[in-house]
Amino acid sequence: MVSLVIVGTLSTQAYMALLRMACNSKAIPVFCEVPTDPGLYPFLDYPMYSKAYREGTTVPDYTLVAIFEDGTEKTLTPEDFGLSAYWFNTSLLPAFQAKQASEVSAYLADYEAAGNSPFVAFRFENTLLTITKAGVVTGAPEVFTSPLPLGDEE
Amino acid sequence: MGIYNSLKTGSVGRVAKAWDDYWFYPAPLFNLAISRIVAVGFQLYYILSKGYSHKLVTQADIPGSVFNPLPVFQALNGLFPWEMPPNFFLVGVFWLAIVSGVTSLLGAKTRLSLFLFALGNVYMQAYLYSFGSFHHGEAIMLIVLFLFALAPAGGVLSWDSWRHRRGGTRVTERGTAQRGIAGRVVESLRPVSVYARWPLLVTQWLFSIVYLSAAVNKVNADGPGLLSAEWMNGYTLQHYLLRDGLQWGSELGVWLGQFHVPAIISSWFAVLFEATFWLVLPFPKLIWLFIPLGYALHIGIWMAQRAPFFHYLALYVVFIPWTAVVKVVATRLGWPIYGNQLRYPDVR
């Protein structure tokens, strides 16, 4: 019984973590039906940070700024929305960048429910950082400002 | 009978014996018990400090989150009459995990407690990861908790063992009992079991597979041949340092991301560490090199990139030969541990 547990645990982990790569490289096509992560969670593949980048790769630096009725401004943070940095970066910022009206509206409701003062517009800044052998080069920021609430057409 | 004997003495028998010798060689329960205490203690701290009770009831309300249940969650949740668990149930699972975690830590009804703790944690984590994103940090811990539930993890350093000693054979009857905490620790070193070694070894194998997977994924990427050093070109690590530093607010990451040569050196270090970690299996003494390096790697990654792999640091406990460590410490403190106290086979 215990031996079955040992074999089952290790073979499942090895299957998910190592054989998928063989599958992806087409070296062992018989294994190409491996479920995609996290299909067998907590047994996972571990390809984190595995994509390679070359000289000239760019990294975006996003900034979301609230503009209040009196013209004052404030850079918004995950804490303002009661969100983790992960959700702020991977869900909220893309929603504001793409001006997704319903999601932005929901985030603003959370923002105001947390006792924060409502703002009438936001400014989204995207500065590209280019990595070169000589160092990191900061590009000119792409900026757009949008009044709130966002219209449906946005 | 003839077939049985030939199996027993033939190559199959030799393989079976080698299997038993590797996984089921008598080992001190103390090592397993220390691992149980550290692993459970860490996981308890983790779900409390990360506010799981709050996360569980608010996750579904985050704008843009879509419930797409993981298979393991569907399997566990299939026992109940709802697709999306109600808040009272989620809170109940959280408290079940807390209570069973405390009893696992204390070693009371250890197997049942560990099983419930593992089950509760898998349910909570799978639920939270059913909303479109998942992370890798907790996965090994969840597997290991189940392994510990199948092993005599409460054999010593537990309420169960204390009750067993009171009700059954007392160690003190042998006339070698120690007094006080030191005595209890020394007494705990002695019991051995053929089932005390395998969960620790399986965890070590899991780590080896996971690190090897991480390494192979990196050297398998984007190159023209089977292996490629493209990932270690420095630009890759600079990219991740800058990206994560900006996203997660690590000034150290943004600063480190400016430097090309240190990024090349760090990249090679990371890949070599991951690719060779499995050497601790055939050469256990290498833990004294790899465990400190692992701490340095994961703490460095946390400081620069905010990628949390603290579960790994806690689970490194399975690599340490605690019995030998305590023997050394006890000897230096003058505790009389040699003689009859530690007569068990030379545990590997």
Side-chain angles (χ1 to χ4, degrees), chain B residues 75-113:
Chain B
L76 295 173
N77 201 46
L79 304 169
F80 304 100
W82 47 66
E83 186 183 352
M84 175 74 88
N87 283 349
F88 81 85
F89 184 77
L90 291 168
V91 173
V93 171
F94 172 79
W95 283 107
L96 172 74
I98 295 298
V99 172
S100 59
V102 170
T103 51
S104 299
L105 193 65
L106 298 174
K109 298 284 180 193
T110 313
R111 284 180 192 252
L112 176 64
S113 296

Side-chain angles (χ1 to χ4, degrees), chain B residues 137-190:
Chain B
E138 305 89 355
I140 292 186
M141 176 67 85
L142 298 180
I143 298 170
V144 169
L145 290 176
F146 276 110
L147 299 180
F148 283 6
L150 295 172
V156 295
L157 301 181
S158 66
W159 173 259
D160 289 344
S161 64
W162 183 76
R163 286 193 62 193
H164 179 72
R165 281 207 308 276
R166 280 177 63 88
T169 307
R170 287 177 64 92
V171 175
T172 53
E173 289 170 1
R174 301 182 184 191
T176 54
Q178 310 300 309
R179 293 181 184 280
I181 293 173
R184 290 199 184 94
V185 171
V186 169
E187 285 172 10
S188 303
L189 299 176
R190 181 166 51 190

Side-chain angles (χ1 to χ4, degrees), chain A:
Chain A
M1 173 63 184
V2 173
S3 292
L4 285 177
V5 171
I6 295 170
V7 171
T9 302
L10 294 181
S11 57
T12 306
Q13 183 58 66
Y15 189 56
M16 290 301 292
L18 296 172
L19 295 181
R20 183 203 306 276
M21 282 173 295
C23 168
N24 290 341
S25 69
K26 306 297 181 195
I28 308 177
V30 71
F31 291 116
C32 283
E33 297 303 320
V34 180
T36 52
D37 278 341
L40 284 184
Y41 188 84
F43 296 95
L44 297 170
D45 189 14
Y46 286 79
M48 310 89 75
Y49 300 103
S50 63
K51 181 174 167 51
Y53 294 92
R54 297 184 175 88
E55 184 175 13
T57 181
T58 57
V59 175
D61 182 9
Y62 299 122
T63 307
L64 181 62
V65 179
I67 303 171
F68 297 94
E69 200 158 17
D70 61 1
T72 56
E73 298 185 351
K74 175 184 185 295
T75 300
L76 295 168
T77 65
E79 292 74 30
D80 293 323
F81 297 87
L83 289 174
S84 67
Y86 181 83
W87 277 96
F88 182 80
N89 285 296
T90 60
S91 183
L92 183 145
L93 286 179
F96 275 82
Q97 187 179 23
K99 296 195 231 179
Q100 294 168 338
S102 61
E103 295 199 359
V104 167
S105 169
Y107 282 122
L108 291 177
D110 287 347
Y111 172 85
E112 290 177 23
N116 295 306
S117 304
F119 48 94
V120 295
F122 70 89
R123 187 171 69 250
F124 195 94
E125 302 175 2
N126 178 12
T127 305
L128 278 185
L129 306 175
T130 304
I131 300 171
T132 70
K133 198 163 192 172
V136 176
V137 179
T138 304
E142 293 175 14
V143 181
F144 71 82
T145 302
S146 186
L148 290 170
L150 294 172
D152 290 339
E153 71 278 6
E154 310 232 36

Side-chain angles (χ1 to χ4, degrees), chain B residues 134-328:
Chain B
F134 72 98
H135 301 286
H136 291 74
E138 305 89 355
I140 292 186
M141 176 67 85
L142 298 180
I143 298 170
V144 169
L145 290 176
F146 276 110
L147 299 180
F148 283 6
L150 295 172
V156 295
L157 301 181
S158 66
W159 173 259
D160 289 344
S161 64
W162 183 76
R163 286 193 62 193
H164 179 72
R165 281 207 308 276
R166 280 177 63 88
T169 307
R170 287 177 64 92
V171 175
T172 53
E173 289 170 1
R174 301 182 184 191
T176 54
Q178 310 300 309
R179 293 181 184 280
I181 293 173
R184 290 199 184 94
V185 171
V186 169
E187 285 172 10
S188 303
L189 299 176
R190 181 166 51 190
V192 296
S193 166
V194 293
Y195 296 111
R197 182 171 143 96
W198 73 267
L200 305 181
L201 281 177
V202 171
T203 310
Q204 294 176 14
W205 274 78
L206 287 174
F207 268 107
S208 300
I209 294 170
V210 162
Y211 280 132
L212 192 59
S213 166
V216 176
N217 268 300
K218 291 181 178 78
V219 299
N220 196 28
D222 294 343
L226 189 62
L227 299 178
S228 165
E230 183 75 31
W231 194 89
M232 291 79 89
N233 60 16
Y235 301 111
T236 302
L237 186 56
Q238 282 184 275
H239 179 99
Y240 290 128
L241 285 166
L242 273 177
R243 187 196 70 182
D244 287 0
L246 288 168
Q247 274 200 352
W248 311 123
S250 167
E251 290 179 9
L252 178 65
V254 174
W255 182 71
L256 287 173
Q258 318 286 317
F259 304 107
H260 187 60
V261 173
I264 294 174
I265 296 168
S266 300
S267 303
W268 277 99
F269 164 70
V271 171
L272 284 174
F273 172 85
E274 292 172 343
T276 58
F277 188 88
W278 59 272
L279 287 170
V280 300
L281 293 173
F283 307 109
K285 285 187 177 171
L286 285 177
I287 61 163
W288 303 115
L289 171 68
F290 275 94
I291 298 302
L293 287 178
Y295 266 85
L297 178 75
H298 287 299
I299 290 173
I301 289 173
W302 162 250
M303 291 173 68
Q305 298 178 260
R306 295 283 185 262
F309 280 85
F310 296 117
H311 286 84
Y312 286 24
L313 303 186
L315 283 176
Y316 278 173
V317 67
V318 303
F319 291 97
I320 308 297
W322 290 104
T323 305
V325 170
V326 171
K327 278 169 71 175
V328 169

